[in-house]
Amino acid sequence: MQVIHQAFTRALSCMWFGLPNAFLIFQSVVAIHRSRNDIWIASFIVGADIDIALLFWSIYAHEKAPVGSKQRERLKIFIWLLATLLNVGFAYRVTMMMPLVMSLVLWALVAVTTVGTFHLYFLRPHQRA
């Protein structure tokens, strides 16, 4: 019974990881196909996909790293950098299509998110409930 439980748990975790990634890959292929005449859009899509894949891998590795280890701290910095890069990249692409006032609001949100996550992730001491 234990073996069945482990196999079911493994299959379920693969499904929860595999289905969203398959959907992301499918949507990226469709988007690249539609933008085949614009190399900048295609490279943005590929870069965002690589960023998301590295972000997922980093979060997984961070969860598996021993608490208090240097590897865990390095991964924390890498996760913050990847998330910030993703926020800035998407904001840049979206603000090119927006009016100036809305662009400024979006950039302000990106700045607040970046500074806020840095503060909560690195500067604020961990409090236990």
Side-chain angles (χ1 to χ4, degrees):
M1 195 66 172
Q2 180 78 8
V3 174
I4 295 171
H5 182 331
Q6 288 175 347
F8 180 73
T9 305
R10 186 173 298 153
L12 191 61
S13 67
C14 288
M15 182 181 72
W16 283 114
F17 184 73
L19 287 178
N21 283 328
F23 181 74
L24 176 67
I25 291 168
F26 174 74
Q27 290 298 321
S28 297
V29 168
V30 169
I32 289 171
H33 176 70
R34 288 184 180 168
S35 66
R36 61 183 172 266
N37 295 332
D38 192 351
I39 189 71
W40 295 111
I41 292 176
S43 62
F44 172 76
I45 293 166
V46 170
D49 284 351
I50 291 170
D51 191 319
I52 290 170
L54 286 172
L55 187 60
F56 284 156
W57 175 83
S58 300
I59 291 170
Y60 175 78
H62 181 266
E63 290 174 352
K64 296 295 181 187
V67 176
S69 67
K70 289 192 183 274
Q71 177 190 8
R72 193 174 176 102
E73 291 302 313
R74 284 190 211 115
L75 284 167
K76 200 187 311 187
I77 294 168
F78 193 57
I79 290 168
W80 180 79
L81 287 172
L82 287 171
T84 300
L85 179 65
L86 202 58
N87 278 336
V88 169
F90 281 124
Y92 175 73
R93 291 295 303 164
V94 170
T95 55
M96 292 189 322
M97 300 176 278
M98 298 175 102
L100 179 63
V101 174
M102 293 303 294
S103 295
L104 293 175
V105 169
L106 183 60
W107 281 115
L109 287 171
V110 169
V112 166
T113 302
T114 301
V115 171
T117 54
F118 181 83
H119 175 74
L120 290 174
Y121 216 43
F122 298 111
L123 302 180
R124 183 176 176 211
H126 295 288
Q127 298 174 356
R128 302 217 176 214

